[in-house]
Amino acid sequence: MSEPYNPHIPNVQKDLSVTQIKTARIQQDINEAADIMHKNIVKAHERGEKMNTLKKKADDLGEAAKAFKEKSTKVKRRMQWKDLKWKIIIGVIILVLLGIIIGSVVGTQK
């Protein structure tokens, strides 16, 4: 026989099902949070790999820039020497021409 209803005695069957529902909801929330954390870890790992690749490319670009600067400096020096040689050659030619002109003028006056 069943016992008479007493409001001061809790209904164990009703409390058990409410507790199971709450536990199931909490477990579902925990599972969702774990899935999100797992996805975040995977994304962070992928981002780390991308950062390593980017760093390598930046290092390679820095080395290429350094090599370019050295090469351009050498070319600049070569061009400066070439320009200086031409200026010297032109200056010598002008001096020779002036010497010939002055020599012919002085030679004709005697």
Side-chain angles (χ1 to χ4, degrees):
M1 239 174 75
S2 103
E3 298 181 19
Y5 175 72
N6 185 348
H8 299 292
I9 299 176
N11 185 349
V12 175
Q13 186 71 22
K14 184 178 176 183
D15 288 342
L16 185 61
S17 66
V18 171
T19 303
Q20 287 175 340
I21 292 171
K22 287 182 180 180
T23 303
R25 284 184 188 159
I26 291 172
Q27 186 63 44
Q28 183 181 2
D29 290 344
I30 290 172
N31 290 340
E32 288 175 4
D35 287 342
I36 290 171
M37 289 174 59
H38 179 70
K39 289 176 185 176
N40 288 342
I41 290 171
V42 169
K43 287 179 183 178
H45 181 68
E46 290 172 355
R47 204 171 24 246
E49 289 175 352
K50 289 179 184 178
M51 290 296 287
N52 289 338
T53 303
L54 186 60
K55 184 181 182 314
K56 185 181 181 311
K57 286 180 181 180
D59 291 343
D60 292 345
L61 186 59
E63 290 175 18
K66 183 178 178 183
F68 176 78
K69 183 177 180 182
E70 291 172 357
K71 191 171 183 177
S72 65
T73 302
K74 288 179 184 178
V75 169
K76 180 181 175 184
R77 286 185 193 138
R78 235 182 283 139
M79 292 304 291
Q80 287 174 339
W81 277 110
K82 189 175 180 181
D83 288 345
L84 181 63
K85 287 178 189 177
W86 277 109
K87 288 177 183 177
I88 290 172
I89 291 171
I90 291 172
V92 169
I93 291 173
I94 289 174
L95 287 176
V96 169
L97 289 175
L98 282 175
I100 293 173
I101 293 172
I102 292 174
S104 65
V105 170
V106 171
T108 56
Q109 288 180 355
K110 288 185 179 179

